[in-house]
Amino acid sequence: MSRTTAPDSRSFPLQRQCPFAPPPEYERLRAEEPVSKARLPTGGTAWLVTRYEDVRTVLSSPVFSADGTRPGFPALLQGQAQVLQRPPFIRMDPPQHSFYRRMLIQEFTLKRIKTMRPGIQATVNGLLDDMLATTPPVDLVEAFALPVSSLVICQLLGVPYDDHEFFQSRSKVGVSGESTAEQFATALGELRAYMDGLITRKQQEPGDDLLSKLVTEQLEPAGELRRDELLMMCLMLLNAGHETTANMISLGTVALLEHPDQLAALQENPELLPDTIEELLRYLSIADLVTARIAAEDTELSGTRIRAGEGVIALLAAADWDPGVFPEPERLDVHRGNRHHVAFGYGVHQCLGQNLARVELEIVFSTLFRRIPTLRVAVPVDELPYKHGNLAYGIHALPVTW
Ligand code: HEM
Protein backbone atom coordinates (compact mmCIF):
# COMPACT_ATOMS: atom_id res chain seq x y z
CA MET A 1 0.00 0.00 0.00
CA SER A 2 1.34 3.45 -0.80
CA ARG A 3 1.58 6.41 1.59
CA THR A 4 0.56 9.76 0.17
CA THR A 5 1.60 12.26 2.84
CA ALA A 6 4.11 12.34 5.62
CA PRO A 7 2.63 13.01 9.06
CA ASP A 8 4.67 16.10 9.79
CA SER A 9 6.93 18.03 7.50
CA ARG A 10 10.32 18.76 8.99
CA SER A 11 12.24 21.88 8.11
CA PHE A 12 15.12 21.55 5.75
CA PRO A 13 18.13 21.60 5.27
CA LEU A 14 18.96 19.43 8.26
CA GLN A 15 22.23 20.30 9.98
CA ARG A 16 25.40 18.24 9.98
CA GLN A 17 26.67 17.66 13.53
CA CYS A 18 29.93 15.88 12.91
CA PRO A 19 31.56 18.13 10.29
CA PHE A 20 32.11 15.20 7.94
CA ALA A 21 29.03 13.06 8.43
CA PRO A 22 25.63 13.77 6.87
CA PRO A 23 22.97 15.06 9.28
CA PRO A 24 22.26 12.18 11.74
CA GLU A 25 18.54 12.29 10.88
CA TYR A 26 19.30 10.91 7.39
CA GLU A 27 20.03 7.50 8.90
CA ARG A 28 16.63 7.28 10.56
CA LEU A 29 14.86 8.59 7.46
CA ARG A 30 16.60 6.04 5.25
CA ALA A 31 15.51 3.22 7.56
CA GLU A 32 12.01 4.39 8.47
CA GLU A 33 10.78 7.07 6.04
CA PRO A 34 12.95 6.80 2.93
CA VAL A 35 10.78 9.31 1.09
CA SER A 36 9.63 12.00 3.50
CA LYS A 37 8.20 15.50 3.26
CA ALA A 38 10.17 18.56 4.33
CA ARG A 39 9.49 22.29 4.50
CA LEU A 40 11.90 24.34 2.38
CA PRO A 41 13.47 27.58 3.62
CA THR A 42 11.92 29.39 0.61
CA GLY A 43 8.41 28.13 1.46
CA GLY A 44 6.64 25.10 0.02
CA THR A 45 7.62 21.49 0.54
CA ALA A 46 9.63 18.79 -1.19
CA TRP A 47 10.16 15.06 -0.78
CA LEU A 48 13.53 14.06 0.67
CA VAL A 49 14.93 10.87 -0.85
CA THR A 50 17.55 9.05 1.22
CA ARG A 51 18.11 5.52 -0.17
CA TYR A 52 20.89 4.95 -2.69
CA GLU A 53 18.71 3.14 -5.24
CA ASP A 54 15.92 5.72 -4.94
CA VAL A 55 18.39 8.58 -5.37
CA ARG A 56 19.71 6.97 -8.55
CA THR A 57 16.14 6.45 -9.79
CA VAL A 58 15.28 10.12 -9.21
CA LEU A 59 18.43 11.27 -11.01
CA SER A 60 18.10 8.95 -13.99
CA SER A 61 14.36 8.65 -14.66
CA PRO A 62 12.59 11.15 -16.94
CA VAL A 63 9.69 10.99 -14.50
CA PHE A 64 11.73 13.38 -12.37
CA SER A 65 12.40 16.59 -14.24
CA ALA A 66 15.29 19.01 -13.73
CA ASP A 67 13.37 21.79 -15.51
CA GLY A 68 13.68 24.78 -13.20
CA THR A 69 10.94 26.69 -15.01
CA ARG A 70 8.22 24.23 -13.94
CA PRO A 71 5.95 25.86 -11.36
CA GLY A 72 6.82 24.59 -7.89
CA PHE A 73 10.39 23.58 -8.69
CA PRO A 74 12.05 23.31 -5.25
CA ALA A 75 14.36 26.25 -4.46
CA LEU A 76 16.56 26.06 -1.38
CA LEU A 77 18.01 29.55 -1.47
CA GLN A 78 16.23 32.89 -1.23
CA GLY A 79 16.32 34.55 -4.64
CA GLN A 80 17.06 31.28 -6.46
CA ALA A 81 13.64 31.50 -8.13
CA GLN A 82 15.04 34.35 -10.22
CA VAL A 83 17.70 32.07 -11.77
CA LEU A 84 15.16 29.32 -12.26
CA GLN A 85 13.05 31.55 -14.52
CA ARG A 86 15.77 31.34 -17.22
CA PRO A 87 18.12 28.69 -15.90
CA PRO A 88 21.41 27.38 -17.26
CA PHE A 89 21.31 23.83 -18.63
CA ILE A 90 21.83 22.15 -15.23
CA ARG A 91 18.15 22.99 -14.70
CA MET A 92 16.84 21.84 -18.10
CA ASP A 93 15.64 18.48 -19.42
CA PRO A 94 16.71 16.74 -22.63
CA PRO A 95 16.62 17.49 -25.51
CA GLN A 96 17.22 21.16 -24.57
CA HIS A 97 19.79 20.10 -21.94
CA SER A 98 21.67 17.83 -24.35
CA PHE A 99 21.92 20.66 -26.92
CA TYR A 100 23.92 22.84 -24.52
CA ARG A 101 25.91 20.06 -22.83
CA ARG A 102 27.09 18.78 -26.21
CA MET A 103 28.72 22.16 -26.89
CA LEU A 104 31.01 21.68 -23.90
CA ILE A 105 31.62 17.96 -23.66
CA GLN A 106 34.83 18.00 -25.73
CA GLU A 107 36.44 20.45 -23.32
CA PHE A 108 35.97 18.12 -20.34
CA THR A 109 36.98 14.72 -21.69
CA LEU A 110 39.63 12.76 -19.79
CA LYS A 111 42.03 13.23 -22.70
CA ARG A 112 41.58 17.01 -22.79
CA ILE A 113 41.84 17.34 -18.99
CA LYS A 114 45.06 15.27 -18.96
CA THR A 115 46.72 17.98 -21.03
CA MET A 116 46.01 20.42 -18.18
CA ARG A 117 47.99 18.38 -15.61
CA PRO A 118 51.36 20.19 -15.95
CA GLY A 119 49.66 23.59 -15.69
CA ILE A 120 47.67 22.55 -12.61
CA GLN A 121 50.80 21.07 -10.99
CA ALA A 122 52.69 24.33 -11.61
CA THR A 123 49.81 26.34 -10.09
CA VAL A 124 49.77 24.12 -6.98
CA ASN A 125 53.58 24.31 -6.62
CA GLY A 126 53.56 28.10 -6.93
CA LEU A 127 50.82 28.57 -4.34
CA LEU A 128 52.58 26.25 -1.89
CA ASP A 129 55.89 28.11 -2.43
CA ASP A 130 54.12 31.35 -1.51
CA MET A 131 52.41 29.77 1.47
CA LEU A 132 55.64 28.27 2.80
CA ALA A 133 57.33 31.65 2.49
CA THR A 134 54.90 33.12 5.05
CA THR A 135 54.69 32.60 8.79
CA PRO A 136 51.92 30.26 9.93
CA PRO A 137 49.08 30.17 10.81
CA VAL A 138 47.71 30.63 7.31
CA ASP A 139 44.13 30.32 6.06
CA LEU A 140 44.33 27.35 3.70
CA VAL A 141 41.06 28.33 2.00
CA GLU A 142 42.27 31.78 1.03
CA ALA A 143 45.92 30.90 0.40
CA PHE A 144 45.43 27.61 -1.39
CA ALA A 145 42.03 25.93 -1.88
CA LEU A 146 40.20 28.84 -3.53
CA PRO A 147 43.15 30.05 -5.66
CA VAL A 148 43.85 26.53 -7.00
CA SER A 149 40.30 25.94 -8.15
CA SER A 150 39.76 29.54 -9.34
CA LEU A 151 43.03 29.76 -11.27
CA VAL A 152 42.31 26.48 -13.04
CA ILE A 153 38.77 27.35 -14.12
CA CYS A 154 39.79 30.92 -15.02
CA GLN A 155 42.51 29.61 -17.29
CA LEU A 156 40.19 27.12 -18.95
CA LEU A 157 37.40 29.64 -19.46
CA GLY A 158 39.53 32.68 -20.22
CA VAL A 159 38.36 34.73 -17.22
CA PRO A 160 41.06 37.10 -15.87
CA TYR A 161 42.14 35.76 -12.46
CA ASP A 162 42.86 39.33 -11.36
CA ASP A 163 39.08 39.73 -11.06
CA HIS A 164 38.83 36.84 -8.58
CA GLU A 165 37.87 38.94 -5.58
CA PHE A 166 34.96 40.35 -7.53
CA PHE A 167 33.51 37.09 -8.81
CA GLN A 168 34.34 34.98 -5.74
CA SER A 169 32.52 37.35 -3.40
CA ARG A 170 29.43 37.45 -5.67
CA SER A 171 29.45 33.68 -6.23
CA LYS A 172 29.61 33.21 -2.47
CA VAL A 173 26.35 35.13 -2.09
CA GLY A 174 24.81 32.96 -4.81
CA VAL A 175 25.41 29.66 -2.96
CA SER A 176 24.92 30.76 0.64
CA GLY A 177 21.88 29.71 2.64
CA GLU A 178 22.18 32.99 4.52
CA SER A 179 21.79 35.38 1.56
CA THR A 180 18.58 37.39 1.24
CA ALA A 181 16.66 37.59 -2.06
CA GLU A 182 17.92 41.18 -2.50
CA GLN A 183 21.57 40.20 -1.95
CA PHE A 184 21.12 37.31 -4.36
CA ALA A 185 19.59 39.58 -7.04
CA THR A 186 22.33 42.19 -6.66
CA ALA A 187 25.13 39.61 -6.87
CA LEU A 188 23.55 37.96 -9.92
CA GLY A 189 23.08 41.32 -11.66
CA GLU A 190 26.73 42.24 -11.07
CA LEU A 191 27.96 38.86 -12.29
CA ARG A 192 25.81 39.10 -15.42
CA ALA A 193 27.15 42.57 -16.20
CA TYR A 194 30.71 41.36 -15.63
CA MET A 195 30.29 38.34 -17.92
CA ASP A 196 28.57 40.48 -20.54
CA GLY A 197 31.57 42.80 -20.62
CA LEU A 198 33.91 39.84 -20.89
CA ILE A 199 31.95 38.42 -23.83
CA THR A 200 32.34 41.77 -25.63
CA ARG A 201 36.09 41.71 -24.98
CA LYS A 202 36.36 38.17 -26.37
CA GLN A 203 34.40 39.24 -29.45
CA GLN A 204 36.89 42.03 -30.05
CA GLU A 205 39.98 40.05 -29.13
CA PRO A 206 39.45 36.28 -28.97
CA GLY A 207 42.06 34.24 -27.13
CA ASP A 208 42.89 30.56 -26.79
CA ASP A 209 40.21 29.73 -24.22
CA LEU A 210 36.76 28.19 -23.91
CA LEU A 211 34.86 31.47 -23.66
CA SER A 212 36.51 32.78 -26.86
CA LYS A 213 35.71 29.51 -28.59
CA LEU A 214 32.05 29.71 -27.59
CA VAL A 215 31.89 33.38 -28.60
CA THR A 216 33.41 32.80 -32.03
CA GLU A 217 31.77 29.45 -32.82
CA GLN A 218 28.44 29.39 -31.02
CA LEU A 219 27.21 32.93 -30.53
CA GLU A 220 24.54 34.06 -32.96
CA PRO A 221 24.15 35.18 -35.74
CA ALA A 222 26.63 32.55 -37.06
CA GLY A 223 26.22 30.12 -34.16
CA GLU A 224 23.29 28.83 -32.14
CA LEU A 225 23.63 30.54 -28.75
CA ARG A 226 21.87 33.71 -27.72
CA ARG A 227 24.01 36.11 -25.72
CA ASP A 228 22.02 35.62 -22.49
CA GLU A 229 22.30 31.83 -22.87
CA LEU A 230 26.06 32.02 -23.30
CA LEU A 231 26.26 34.36 -20.35
CA MET A 232 24.42 32.02 -17.97
CA MET A 233 26.39 29.02 -19.23
CA CYS A 234 29.70 30.72 -18.48
CA LEU A 235 28.56 31.93 -15.07
CA MET A 236 27.53 28.38 -14.20
CA LEU A 237 30.92 27.02 -15.28
CA LEU A 238 32.80 29.69 -13.36
CA ASN A 239 30.78 29.10 -10.23
CA ALA A 240 30.58 25.30 -10.38
CA GLY A 241 34.26 25.19 -11.29
CA HIS A 242 35.65 26.97 -8.24
CA GLU A 243 33.19 26.69 -5.31
CA THR A 244 32.80 22.92 -5.15
CA THR A 245 36.42 21.97 -5.76
CA ALA A 246 37.65 24.52 -3.22
CA ASN A 247 35.29 23.04 -0.63
CA MET A 248 36.55 19.53 -1.38
CA ILE A 249 40.16 20.66 -1.00
CA SER A 250 39.67 22.31 2.39
CA LEU A 251 37.28 19.76 3.86
CA GLY A 252 39.26 16.85 2.38
CA THR A 253 42.44 18.18 4.01
CA VAL A 254 40.76 18.28 7.42
CA ALA A 255 39.28 14.81 6.90
CA LEU A 256 42.69 13.33 6.09
CA LEU A 257 44.39 15.12 8.99
CA GLU A 258 41.70 13.81 11.34
CA HIS A 259 42.33 10.25 10.07
CA PRO A 260 46.12 9.97 10.38
CA ASP A 261 46.10 6.21 9.78
CA GLN A 262 44.41 6.74 6.40
CA LEU A 263 46.76 9.57 5.50
CA ALA A 264 49.74 7.40 6.46
CA ALA A 265 48.41 4.54 4.29
CA LEU A 266 48.19 6.93 1.36
CA GLN A 267 51.67 8.30 1.96
CA GLU A 268 53.14 4.80 2.17
CA ASN A 269 51.38 3.73 -1.00
CA PRO A 270 50.76 6.61 -3.45
CA GLU A 271 48.96 4.21 -5.77
CA LEU A 272 46.04 4.56 -3.39
CA LEU A 273 45.56 8.16 -4.49
CA PRO A 274 42.69 7.65 -6.98
CA ASP A 275 40.81 5.45 -4.47
CA THR A 276 41.45 8.02 -1.74
CA ILE A 277 39.90 10.76 -3.85
CA GLU A 278 36.82 8.61 -4.56
CA GLU A 279 36.48 7.78 -0.88
CA LEU A 280 36.77 11.44 0.13
CA LEU A 281 34.15 12.37 -2.47
CA ARG A 282 31.80 9.73 -1.06
CA TYR A 283 32.54 10.40 2.59
CA LEU A 284 32.09 14.18 2.36
CA SER A 285 29.40 14.32 -0.39
CA ILE A 286 29.59 18.11 -0.33
CA ALA A 287 26.97 18.63 -3.07
CA ASP A 288 24.33 16.86 -0.95
CA LEU A 289 21.67 19.54 -1.49
CA VAL A 290 22.29 20.34 -5.15
CA THR A 291 20.16 17.69 -6.82
CA ALA A 292 16.62 19.10 -6.80
CA ARG A 293 13.97 17.74 -9.18
CA ILE A 294 10.22 17.95 -9.75
CA ALA A 295 7.90 15.04 -10.53
CA ALA A 296 6.69 15.34 -14.13
CA GLU A 297 3.91 12.78 -13.53
CA ASP A 298 2.36 10.84 -10.66
CA THR A 299 4.69 8.11 -9.49
CA GLU A 300 5.72 6.00 -6.52
CA LEU A 301 9.06 5.63 -4.77
CA SER A 302 9.76 3.16 -1.95
CA GLY A 303 6.02 2.90 -1.33
CA THR A 304 5.33 6.63 -1.22
CA ARG A 305 3.03 8.29 -3.74
CA ILE A 306 4.57 11.38 -5.35
CA ARG A 307 2.23 13.57 -7.38
CA ALA A 308 3.06 15.46 -10.57
CA GLY A 309 4.34 18.94 -9.67
CA GLU A 310 5.78 17.95 -6.27
CA GLY A 311 9.41 18.79 -5.56
CA VAL A 312 11.99 16.11 -4.78
CA ILE A 313 15.50 16.41 -3.36
CA ALA A 314 17.78 13.43 -3.97
CA LEU A 315 20.12 13.65 -0.98
CA LEU A 316 23.55 12.62 -2.23
CA ALA A 317 25.14 12.30 1.21
CA ALA A 318 22.31 10.06 2.35
CA ALA A 319 22.84 7.83 -0.69
CA ASP A 320 26.62 7.76 -0.23
CA TRP A 321 26.22 6.68 3.39
CA ASP A 322 23.68 3.96 2.60
CA PRO A 323 25.11 0.96 4.51
CA GLY A 324 23.51 -1.46 2.05
CA VAL A 325 25.93 -0.18 -0.61
CA PHE A 326 28.82 1.17 1.47
CA PRO A 327 29.23 -1.03 4.57
CA GLU A 328 30.26 0.97 7.67
CA PRO A 329 29.82 4.24 5.77
CA GLU A 330 31.10 6.27 8.74
CA ARG A 331 34.57 4.77 8.23
CA LEU A 332 36.84 6.82 5.95
CA ASP A 333 38.62 3.92 4.28
CA VAL A 334 41.13 4.64 1.51
CA HIS A 335 41.10 0.91 0.69
CA ARG A 336 37.33 0.80 0.15
CA GLY A 337 37.67 0.63 -3.62
CA ASN A 338 34.00 1.39 -4.29
CA ARG A 339 33.65 4.05 -6.95
CA HIS A 340 29.88 3.89 -7.32
CA HIS A 341 29.22 6.91 -5.15
CA VAL A 342 26.89 9.66 -6.37
CA ALA A 343 28.95 12.64 -5.16
CA PHE A 344 29.00 13.90 -8.76
CA GLY A 345 25.33 13.08 -9.26
CA TYR A 346 24.01 10.41 -11.64
CA GLY A 347 22.26 10.27 -15.01
CA VAL A 348 22.26 12.94 -17.71
CA HIS A 349 23.23 15.77 -15.36
CA GLN A 350 26.20 13.93 -13.84
CA CYS A 351 28.92 16.51 -13.20
CA LEU A 352 30.44 17.77 -16.41
CA GLY A 353 33.60 18.87 -14.57
CA GLN A 354 34.27 15.61 -12.72
CA ASN A 355 37.42 14.71 -14.69
CA LEU A 356 38.82 18.14 -13.97
CA ALA A 357 37.86 18.01 -10.30
CA ARG A 358 39.50 14.59 -9.89
CA VAL A 359 42.75 15.73 -11.49
CA GLU A 360 42.83 18.87 -9.32
CA LEU A 361 42.20 16.84 -6.17
CA GLU A 362 44.85 14.25 -7.07
CA ILE A 363 47.49 16.90 -7.65
CA VAL A 364 46.47 18.87 -4.57
CA PHE A 365 46.49 16.02 -2.07
CA SER A 366 49.64 14.36 -3.38
CA THR A 367 51.57 17.65 -3.40
CA LEU A 368 50.21 19.26 -0.23
CA PHE A 369 51.13 16.45 2.16
CA ARG A 370 54.47 15.79 0.46
CA ARG A 371 55.53 19.43 0.62
CA ILE A 372 54.17 20.05 4.14
CA PRO A 373 54.36 16.72 6.01
CA THR A 374 53.82 18.45 9.38
CA LEU A 375 50.65 20.26 8.27
CA ARG A 376 47.99 20.53 11.00
CA VAL A 377 44.81 22.46 11.72
CA ALA A 378 45.60 25.42 14.00
CA VAL A 379 42.26 25.45 15.88
CA PRO A 380 39.98 22.71 17.23
CA VAL A 381 38.23 21.10 14.25
CA ASP A 382 34.81 21.49 15.94
CA GLU A 383 35.29 25.26 15.97
CA LEU A 384 35.92 25.70 12.24
CA PRO A 385 33.30 27.83 10.42
CA TYR A 386 31.41 25.22 8.39
CA LYS A 387 29.10 26.20 5.51
CA HIS A 388 25.85 24.84 6.90
CA GLY A 389 22.87 25.35 4.59
CA ASN A 390 25.03 26.21 1.56
CA LEU A 391 24.35 24.44 -1.72
CA ALA A 392 27.89 23.07 -1.55
CA TYR A 393 29.07 22.22 1.97
CA GLY A 394 32.57 23.23 3.01
CA ILE A 395 34.56 25.51 5.31
CA HIS A 396 34.70 29.31 5.14
CA ALA A 397 38.22 29.52 6.57
CA LEU A 398 40.79 26.91 7.61
CA PRO A 399 43.69 28.14 9.76
CA VAL A 400 46.62 25.73 9.40
CA THR A 401 50.13 25.61 10.74
CA TRP A 402 53.19 23.38 10.21
C1 HEM B 1 26.81 19.11 -12.18
C2 HEM B 1 29.13 18.01 -8.04
C3 HEM B 1 33.17 20.17 -9.73
C4 HEM B 1 30.69 21.73 -13.58
C5 HEM B 1 27.12 18.59 -10.94
C6 HEM B 1 26.23 17.76 -10.15
C7 HEM B 1 26.87 17.49 -8.99
C8 HEM B 1 28.18 18.11 -9.04
C9 HEM B 1 26.34 16.66 -7.84
C10 HEM B 1 24.83 17.28 -10.58
C11 HEM B 1 23.74 18.27 -10.31
C12 HEM B 1 22.36 17.75 -10.62
O1 HEM B 1 22.18 16.60 -11.03
O2 HEM B 1 21.40 18.50 -10.40
C13 HEM B 1 30.42 18.51 -8.15
C14 HEM B 1 31.46 18.30 -7.15
C15 HEM B 1 32.60 18.91 -7.64
C16 HEM B 1 32.27 19.50 -8.93
C17 HEM B 1 31.30 17.53 -5.85
C18 HEM B 1 33.98 19.02 -7.04
C19 HEM B 1 34.54 18.11 -6.31
C20 HEM B 1 32.86 20.75 -10.94
C21 HEM B 1 33.81 21.44 -11.78
C22 HEM B 1 33.13 21.90 -12.85
C23 HEM B 1 31.73 21.47 -12.70
C24 HEM B 1 35.30 21.61 -11.50
C25 HEM B 1 33.76 22.65 -13.98
C26 HEM B 1 33.26 23.45 -14.77
C27 HEM B 1 29.43 21.16 -13.51
C28 HEM B 1 28.39 21.38 -14.52
C29 HEM B 1 27.27 20.63 -14.12
C30 HEM B 1 27.65 19.97 -12.88
C31 HEM B 1 28.50 22.26 -15.76
C32 HEM B 1 25.92 20.52 -14.84
C33 HEM B 1 25.93 19.28 -15.71
C34 HEM B 1 24.62 19.04 -16.43
O3 HEM B 1 23.57 19.51 -15.99
O4 HEM B 1 24.66 18.35 -17.45
N1 HEM B 1 28.30 18.77 -10.25
N2 HEM B 1 30.95 19.23 -9.19
N3 HEM B 1 31.63 20.77 -11.52
N4 HEM B 1 28.95 20.31 -12.55
FE1 HEM B 1 29.99 19.71 -10.94
Side-chain angles (χ1 to χ4, degrees):
M1 208 179 82
S2 76
R3 293 184 298 270
T4 50
T5 47
D8 173 34
S9 13
R10 62 197 42 79
S11 58
F12 185 76
L14 300 160
Q15 276 236 347
R16 293 191 185 217
Q17 280 170 17
C18 161
F20 311 125
E25 176 74 351
Y26 284 8
E27 196 179 333
R28 192 194 65 74
L29 289 177
R30 197 189 303 106
E32 296 170 17
E33 275 182 84
V35 181
S36 64
K37 265 248 170 94
R39 255 185 338 262
L40 301 178
T42 52
T45 57
W47 293 101
L48 304 182
V49 177
T50 44
R51 286 187 182 159
Y52 180 83
E53 279 313 328
D54 288 343
V55 164
R56 297 222 303 185
T57 301
V58 169
L59 297 182
S60 58
S61 158
V63 167
F64 298 95
S65 163
D67 180 353
T69 64
R70 284 182 188 252
F73 192 90
L76 260 58
L77 304 180
Q78 308 298 339
Q80 204 182 354
Q82 199 191 343
V83 178
L84 293 176
Q85 281 163 15
R86 300 183 75 172
F89 66 82
I90 190 169
R91 287 293 163 261
M92 292 178 189
D93 286 333
Q96 216 191 353
H97 162 264
S98 341
F99 167 78
Y100 295 102
R101 185 164 165 132
R102 255 201 312 269
M103 279 182 197
L104 296 172
I105 205 95
Q106 279 307 320
E107 302 297 323
F108 292 93
T109 59
L110 206 50
K111 199 169 153 207
R112 168 79 179 86
I113 297 301
K114 265 191 181 158
T115 65
M116 294 175 67
R117 266 185 179 272
I120 299 174
Q121 183 70 64
T123 300
V124 167
N125 292 348
L127 288 164
L128 289 179
D129 288 344
D130 293 348
M131 207 172 103
L132 285 166
T134 60
T135 312
V138 167
D139 177 6
L140 194 84
V141 173
E142 199 187 315
F144 185 63
L146 257 180
V148 170
S149 56
S150 293
L151 275 160
V152 170
I153 194 69
C154 278
Q155 203 180 4
L156 183 98
L157 271 178
V159 172
Y161 181 70
D162 282 352
D163 299 337
H164 71 278
E165 273 171 26
F166 171 82
F167 66 74
Q168 279 169 2
S169 57
R170 272 64 174 185
S171 300
K172 213 169 163 178
V173 174
V175 293
S176 167
E178 284 164 17
S179 302
T180 63
E182 290 72 29
Q183 287 168 330
F184 195 98
T186 307
L188 181 65
E190 289 172 348
L191 282 170
R192 291 180 76 110
Y194 171 75
M195 198 47 87
D196 193 56
L198 200 55
I199 290 173
T200 304
R201 270 151 63 195
K202 300 287 177 186
Q203 281 176 307
Q204 291 160 350
E205 230 179 291
D208 183 21
D209 53 64
L210 177 54
L211 184 48
S212 298
K213 199 170 165 201
L214 291 169
V215 165
T216 49
E217 292 175 13
Q218 304 288 1
L219 193 61
E220 59 176 16
E224 299 194 77
L225 273 187
R226 287 197 324 264
R227 196 177 178 96
D228 62 322
E229 292 171 331
L230 174 62
L231 200 147
M232 283 311 281
M233 189 192 255
C234 293
L235 281 182
M236 175 179 67
L237 290 173
L238 182 61
N239 192 27
H242 81 264
E243 241 321 289
T244 41
T245 315
N247 287 328
M248 264 311 291
I249 294 173
S250 50
L251 207 56
T253 301
V254 181
L256 285 172
L257 289 172
E258 286 292 292
H259 294 83
D261 56 329
Q262 300 302 302
L263 179 56
L266 170 65
Q267 284 170 319
E268 275 158 32
N269 181 5
E271 281 180 13
L272 282 173
L273 186 59
D275 278 349
T276 303
I277 304 300
E278 298 311 311
E279 177 65 349
L280 284 171
L281 285 161
R282 176 200 73 81
Y283 184 66
L284 298 169
S285 289
I286 58 159
D288 181 36
L289 307 177
V290 168
T291 36
R293 298 291 189 268
I294 187 163
E297 54 190 76
D298 290 354
T299 187
E300 203 176 291
L301 203 58
S302 275
T304 300
R305 174 76 52 84
I306 299 178
R307 300 201 182 279
E310 289 184 331
V312 177
I313 300 182
L315 293 170
L316 301 183
D320 282 341
W321 280 54
D322 187 331
V325 183
F326 305 98
E328 295 183 75
E330 68 288 351
R331 228 159 38 84
L332 176 74
D333 178 3
V334 298
H335 294 95
R336 187 179 293 272
N338 183 338
R339 296 172 162 235
H340 298 295
H341 62 76
V342 288
F344 285 123
Y346 186 69
V348 294
H349 288 280
Q350 200 179 66
C351 181
L352 180 71
Q354 60 184 289
N355 293 329
L356 177 59
R358 283 191 172 103
V359 165
E360 287 184 61
L361 295 173
E362 281 189 17
I363 293 175
V364 158
F365 289 124
S366 59
T367 316
L368 179 67
F369 293 109
R370 182 170 45 75
R371 293 281 308 273
I372 321 182
T374 56
L375 186 77
R376 58 186 195 280
V377 184
V379 299
V381 164
D382 289 347
E383 291 172 17
L384 288 168
Y386 294 100
K387 297 183 179 176
H388 293 292
N390 271 30
L391 276 189
Y393 179 69
I395 314 178
H396 290 291
L398 174 56
V400 293
T401 188
W402 54 88

